[in-house]
Each structure stands twice: as C-alpha cells, then as structure tokens.
Amino acid sequence: MNELILRTVTAVVTFMIILFGIQLFFAGHYYPGGGFIAGLVTAGAIILLLLAFDIKTVRSMIPVSYRTLIGIGLLFALGTGLGGLVFDVPFLTHAHGHVMLPLLGDVSLHTAVLFDLGVYLVVVGVTMTIIETIGEDE
C-alpha cells in the first residue's frame, strides 16, 4: 500500500475517531457510552497513528507519558469517590446541578463526569502502555 495514501487517510480518520470518542464520552451519562468506551475509541485512534507512522513520530506528535495518564486518571476516579465522604455521604455519591452558560444555555453538571474522566484517562493509559510495550523494537 502506498505510504502517502495511508498517512493522509490516517490524518483525516484519526480526527474523526477522536471526535466520535469525545461525543461518546459526553453522551455516556444519559446514553450508552462514557469514559471506558471513549478511552478505547481514543486508544484505537492512536493505534491507527502507530500503524501509519513509526513509534518515535507518534511520541513526538503526542508527547504524553501514558503511565502518568494512568496515575492522573486514578486520582480523578478516587478523588470523585472520596469527595462524597467529605460531605458525609456514602462513597461514590455523586452531586449534580444546573448552570446557565452563555452559549450553551442550561447545562446539567455532574460529578460523574469527573469519574468518567478518570476512567477515560486510565483506559487510554493502560491500553497504550500495553500496545507500546508489545510494539517496541529494541
């Protein structure tokens, strides 16, 4: 297969896959989706980049330590769970409310989004750590 065609298609498709992952992430509270599946979709987009480019190029395009993502995600998830204990409610009790934002209007905010963000970061971090560990040539 022509490498130029693969790289050009990958640039367009990766963008669309990441946008779909973002949509799945934010739809997850009311519809099927959420942090886990959005993390897998995002990891799939990064894997597509790894197939089209070499690992050094992808690391320069996405200069993120996936192991650090795992730690940050665990802190988000654990912090969200422990937040309920601070207000003397059971572990993982979520709070919600409505806020009027200028362009978006009435927006429902939930602490479950923070928990989903933690799950998202852990899933992306673990998946990409496994894939890069398997794919490294040394």
Side-chain angles (χ1 to χ4, degrees):
M1 178 178 239
N2 189 345
E3 203 171 294
L4 177 65
I5 294 172
L6 175 64
R7 288 181 178 183
T8 305
V9 169
T10 297
V12 174
V13 171
T14 300
F15 180 71
M16 291 189 299
I17 292 171
I18 289 174
L19 284 178
F20 181 61
I22 291 170
Q23 191 273 335
L24 282 174
F25 177 81
F26 285 110
H29 191 68
Y30 296 108
Y31 304 104
F36 184 78
I37 191 63
L40 288 177
V41 168
T42 302
I46 298 170
I47 291 169
L48 181 60
L49 286 172
L50 286 171
L51 291 173
F53 302 95
D54 59 273
I55 198 165
K56 289 179 183 178
T57 305
V58 174
R59 281 185 182 163
S60 68
M61 291 188 321
I62 307 171
V64 174
S65 167
Y66 298 116
R67 292 181 180 164
T68 304
L69 277 184
I70 296 169
I72 293 170
L74 287 173
L75 285 175
F76 266 99
L78 184 64
T80 305
L82 293 176
L85 296 177
V86 171
F87 296 105
D88 199 30
V89 292
F91 182 72
L92 276 178
T93 300
H94 292 283
H96 58 87
H98 291 273
V99 176
M100 287 297 292
L101 295 178
L103 294 175
L104 300 175
D106 186 34
V107 175
S108 176
L109 295 177
H110 302 267
T111 56
V113 173
L114 294 175
F115 181 79
D116 270 349
L117 179 63
V119 171
Y120 173 83
L121 294 174
V122 168
V123 169
V124 170
V126 168
T127 305
M128 292 312 303
T129 299
I130 291 170
I131 295 297
E132 281 192 349
T133 302
I134 291 172
E136 285 181 338
D137 306 323
E138 291 196 39

